[in-house]
């Protein structure tokens, strides 16, 4: 097992707790809503989905529950074991396949898979060559298929430091760096903007690019305890859904999500 995979395995309990917290639930709910709006009527058809660096299945199980066939590719065995367990508990084993693989070195059968949808969520901040990873992620997608990429938004870093941490010096420093760190996974991060990734996708031949914000206001509400109140959470999710595609709010959201269609020859 690689050192990186071991870090993800060690962080599994904290990761599970994060997913179940209001901010984790929002991340998955808003991403799913944005996928469904792009799939339109096809959202009700059984589609073939590839979830790259899909971890323990947070995105995949939502799509499998809608009847889609989802392949999760991840290089952390503990994450894949957790994903398989979650799929079994939900009665979705027949719709979820787990493959141990690096997104930048996918098995040939996956590369040739002609998937209808490919997800590349929260991977880019961990890689050295973003363009190479995007190209590798697009390879298994059929022409005209839907691609979804998500990453931490670099524009949010100064606001996060100023509002949540009350660290104005760190906020000022964050204006001029793309480097950050995740304590949960004990790893260095490179932050990107939606504008940068949009240019890469356009250069790679993608079409119909759309920009969404995820956790547009959640992370700037410092009263985290109140977010656990069901009524407040419901109002927060409703607001996040209303803001996700509305200019200019997506530009300072904690995460950006871009969807695009693979070029049809």
């Amino acid at each position: 097992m690689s050192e990186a995979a071991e870090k993800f395995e060690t962080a599994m309990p904290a990761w599970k707790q994060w997913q179940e917290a209001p901010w984790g639930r929002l991340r998955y709910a808003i991403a799913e809503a944005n996928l469904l709006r792009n799939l339109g009527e096809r959202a009700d058809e059984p589609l073939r989905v590839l979830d790259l660096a899909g971890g323990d299945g947070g995105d995949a199980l939502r799509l499998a529950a809608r009847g889609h066939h989802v392949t999760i590719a991840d290089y952390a065995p503990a994450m894949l074991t957790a994903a398989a367990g979650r799929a079994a508990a939900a009665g979705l084993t027949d719709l979820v396949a787990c493959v141990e693989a690096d997104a930048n070195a996918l098995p040939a059968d996956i590369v040739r898979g002609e998937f209808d949808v490919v997800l590349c969520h929260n991977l880019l901040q961990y890689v050295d060559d973003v363009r190479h990873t995007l190209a590798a992620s697009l390879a298994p997608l059929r022409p005209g298929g839907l691609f979804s990429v998500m990453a931490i938004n670099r524009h949010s870093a100064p606001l996060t430091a100023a509002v949540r941490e009350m660290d104005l010096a760190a906020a000022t420093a964050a204006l001029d760096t793309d480097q950050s760190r995740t304590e949960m996974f004990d790893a260095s991060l490179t932050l990107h903007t939606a504008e940068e990734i949009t240019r890469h996708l356009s250069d790679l031949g993608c079409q119909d690019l759309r920009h969404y914000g995820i956790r547009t206001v959640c992370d700037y509400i410092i009263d985290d305890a109140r977010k656990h109140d069901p009524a407040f959470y419901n109002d927060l999710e409703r607001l996040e859904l209303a803001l996700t595609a509305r200019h200019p709010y997506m530009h300072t959201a904690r995460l950006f999500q871009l969807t695009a269609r693979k070029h049809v020859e």
Side-chain angles (χ1 to χ4, degrees):
M1 183 185 301
S2 69
E3 181 181 353
E6 288 180 359
K7 289 181 178 180
F8 281 105
E9 182 172 4
T10 301
M12 283 289 292
W15 175 238
K16 185 175 185 296
Q17 185 178 23
W18 183 92
Q19 288 178 303
E20 294 172 351
W23 34 94
R25 289 156 55 200
L26 279 175
R27 171 258 183 265
Y28 289 103
I30 306 305
E32 181 183 21
N34 292 333
L35 286 172
L36 294 178
R37 76 165 72 189
N38 279 274
L39 290 172
E41 294 181 357
R42 296 211 68 195
D44 296 323
E45 302 175 13
L47 300 175
R48 297 183 65 245
V49 181
L50 174 62
D51 188 2
L52 296 173
D56 61 349
D59 286 306
L61 266 66
R62 285 175 172 265
L63 295 174
R66 293 181 174 274
H68 303 303
H69 298 266
V70 188
T71 299
I72 303 172
D74 200 287
Y75 66 26
M79 287 286 189
L80 293 174
T81 298
R86 293 176 68 183
L92 298 171
T93 298
D94 291 343
L95 292 173
V96 177
C98 296
V99 177
E100 186 176 340
D102 189 305
N104 287 308
L106 294 169
D109 59 330
I110 289 183
V111 174
R112 297 192 301 266
E114 292 281 297
F115 289 89
D116 299 298
V117 180
V118 172
L119 310 182
C120 180
H121 289 176
N122 289 327
L123 170 62
L124 296 187
Q125 54 261 37
Y126 295 101
V127 303
D128 295 325
D129 189 336
V130 167
R131 192 184 184 92
H132 175 77
T133 297
L134 289 171
S137 300
L138 286 164
L141 186 64
R142 66 167 178 81
L146 180 67
F147 184 59
S148 175
V149 58
M150 180 193 301
I152 297 172
N153 176 18
R154 190 166 82 227
H155 292 319
S156 73
L159 290 173
T160 300
V163 176
R164 292 201 62 84
E165 302 165 16
M166 298 290 288
D167 190 337
L168 303 186
T172 302
L175 292 170
D176 297 312
T177 181
D178 62 0
Q179 295 301 297
S180 185
R181 188 163 188 84
T182 169
E183 294 182 6
M184 183 182 299
F185 297 117
D186 186 25
S188 298
L189 305 176
T190 300
L191 305 186
H192 306 281
T193 67
E195 294 83 359
E196 293 169 351
I197 304 306
T198 294
R199 286 194 293 272
H200 285 304
L201 292 176
S202 295
D203 290 345
L204 290 167
C206 289
Q207 302 170 328
D208 191 22
L209 280 91
R210 303 184 184 186
H211 178 192
Y212 304 99
I214 294 181
R215 302 213 313 265
T216 308
V217 296
C218 174
D219 288 42
Y220 307 125
I221 299 173
I222 61 175
D223 187 350
D224 286 340
R226 192 171 182 193
K227 298 170 193 175
H228 290 270
D229 174 74
F232 186 86
Y233 175 85
N234 289 338
D235 287 342
L236 179 58
E237 182 176 298
R238 190 176 301 111
L239 176 60
E240 291 280 355
L241 286 167
L243 292 174
T244 183
R246 186 169 296 195
H247 180 82
Y249 306 103
M250 74 276 275
H251 295 288
T252 53
R254 184 55 177 157
L255 305 167
F256 64 80
Q257 181 181 9
L258 301 173
T259 61
R261 296 282 177 180
K262 187 172 181 178
H263 177 65
V264 179
E265 298 294 340

